[in-house]
Amino acid sequence: MTEHKLFPHTLCLLLFSLIGVSIFFFGYFPLNLSHSREPVSHQHHPSVPPLYDKLVLIVIDALRYDFVLHPNSPMSFVTEMLSNNSARCYTGQSHAPTVTLPRIKALTAGTVPGFFDMIIQLSSPALQQDNLISQLVTSGNHIVFYGDDTWIKLFPDSFMRQEGTVSFFVNDFTEVDDNVTRHLPRELASKDWDVMILHYLGLDHIGHTYGSRSELIGYKLREMDEIISKVFAAVSGERSVLVALGDHGMSVTGSHGGATRDETWVPLLFISSLFNREVELSNTDDVILQVDMTSTLAVLMGVSIPVDSVGVVIPEMLSELSEQ
C-alpha cells in the first residue's frame, strides 16, 4: 500500500526533473529554427547606393579592446590615424561563448549564436542561414579570403581565391600569420576583387601559450599594425574602407570562452580616406554590439541586411554616409 502511495510522488518528481532539464537544455542550446541559407534580397535593403566600392575586413583573433584603445598601445599607425580623425574606433561587445565559430556567425549573420556552437566548433558545417557573405556574392562582389579555415567551412564556394590556416596548433604564432600575409603583395596589386577578408590567429596563439601579459603580445600587435598600414596604403586611393576588429578578447591568462569584459570587449576599427577629418569622433562610453557590424557593413557595401540580423547600423557610419 505504501509503495502505491509513493509511486505518484515519484512520478511527479521525475516529471518536474524532466521539465527542468528541458528548460536548461533549450535555454543554453536553443534550436536554431533558421531560415534558408539563400540570401533574401527584398527585405531590409538599404535605400542608398554603396558608399564604398572596396572593403577590407581584417579579423585579428583575440584582439582585446585595450590592445588598440590604450594610450600606450604599440599600434602606432592606428593611434596616428585615430588622432588625425582618419579612423573611427568603437568598443564592441561580443556575446558568450567567446570562441571563434559563433563570433564569425555573429559578424556575418547578425545573430547571437548559443552554446551549442561550441559543440560543433570542430566540424564547422556550412552556415545555413542568410548572411553577409552570401549577400555580397549575390550582389556581384568578388571576395578573396586568407586565414582561419573556419570561414572556408562556413562559406564554401564563396571565395574567388582562398587559403585556410589551421587554428589548433597554438604553439605556432609566426608561420600561421605569415601564411596569410604572403598573399598580400599579389592581392593588393590585383584589381579583380571587391572584398578581402583576412583572419590572423597568431595573437590568440600567443595568449593561449604565454598569457596576455607576455612581451610577445606587443611584438604581434606591432606586426598587425604594420599590416593594417600596408593594406591601407594600397587601397586608400580608391573608394575603400578598411575594418579591423577582434572576434573576441582574452583574459589575463590568455584564455577565452566566457563572458568577462576582457573576453567580450573588442575594438571595431574603421579606416578610410573618405572620412570627414573635420568631424571629430565624439567621446562616448557607449558600447557597440558586435552583431551591429553585420548591418553596418551591409549598408556600407550596398547589399541587403541578412534577414535574421538583430543588429542595427552604427549611427556615426550613417552620418559619414550622409556627408558624401
Side-chain angles (χ1 to χ4, degrees), residues 154-215:
L154 284 174
F155 310 108
D157 306 317
S158 296
F159 309 123
M160 63 181 292
R161 288 187 294 274
Q162 65 184 33
E163 183 174 80
T165 57
V166 180
S167 61
F168 294 105
F169 298 106
V170 295
N171 291 324
D172 171 25
F173 49 84
T174 302
E175 186 175 348
V176 71
D177 285 347
D178 290 345
N179 284 334
V180 177
T181 305
R182 67 188 180 91
H183 294 282
L184 288 182
R186 182 187 69 177
E187 294 298 350
L188 293 178
S190 300
K191 302 297 182 182
D192 61 347
W193 56 268
D194 306 293
V195 178
M196 179 165 65
I197 303 174
L198 309 172
H199 190 143
Y200 285 94
L201 292 166
L203 182 68
D204 179 66
H205 290 187
I206 291 173
H208 282 299
T209 306
Y210 299 104
S212 67
R213 294 177 177 172
S214 167
E215 62 181 11

Side-chain angles (χ1 to χ4, degrees), residues 59-112:
V59 180
I60 303 174
D61 213 282
L63 184 65
R64 203 169 66 196
Y65 73 105
D66 59 321
F67 289 165
V68 173
L69 296 174
H70 192 278
N72 297 322
S73 170
M75 303 183 76
S76 58
F77 171 75
V78 170
T79 301
E80 179 185 353
M81 297 300 283
L82 288 171
S83 65
N84 65 23
N85 293 318
S86 294
R88 308 285 187 257
C89 192
Y90 306 92
T91 300
Q93 181 178 8
S94 58
H95 294 82
T98 46
V99 293
T100 297
L101 176 64
R103 297 301 95 230
I104 295 175
K105 288 185 176 181
L107 285 168
T108 56
T111 58
V112 182

Side-chain angles (χ1 to χ4, degrees), residues 16 26 43 50 53 64 76 81 94 108 110 123 127 135 148 179 186 197 212 216 218 239 283 290 317:
F16 282 120
F26 287 109
Q43 297 192 35
D53 299 325
R64 203 169 66 196
S76 58
M81 297 300 283
S94 58
T108 56
S123 60
L127 185 57
Q135 289 290 351
D148 189 340
N179 284 334
R186 182 187 69 177
I197 303 174
S212 67
L216 294 174
R239 295 185 61 82
N283 294 322
Q290 190 181 57
M317 290 297 102

Side-chain angles (χ1 to χ4, degrees), residues 7-25:
F7 179 76
H9 297 287
T10 304
L11 186 62
C12 287
L13 287 174
L14 287 173
L15 181 61
F16 282 120
S17 297
L18 287 173
I19 293 173
V21 170
S22 298
I23 292 173
F24 173 84
F25 184 85

Side-chain angles (χ1 to χ4, degrees), residues 44-48 51 90 270 288-301 303-305 309-321:
H44 304 279
H45 200 285
S47 58
V48 294
L51 175 59
Y90 306 92
F270 295 78
I288 306 296
L289 294 180
Q290 190 181 57
V291 292
D292 293 343
M293 291 298 294
T294 310
S295 305
T296 302
L297 294 178
V299 170
L300 296 184
M301 291 301 290
V303 301
S304 297
I305 298 174
S309 175
V310 297
V312 298
V313 180
I314 298 174
E316 190 171 48
M317 290 297 102
L318 283 181
S319 68
E320 293 287 352
L321 184 73

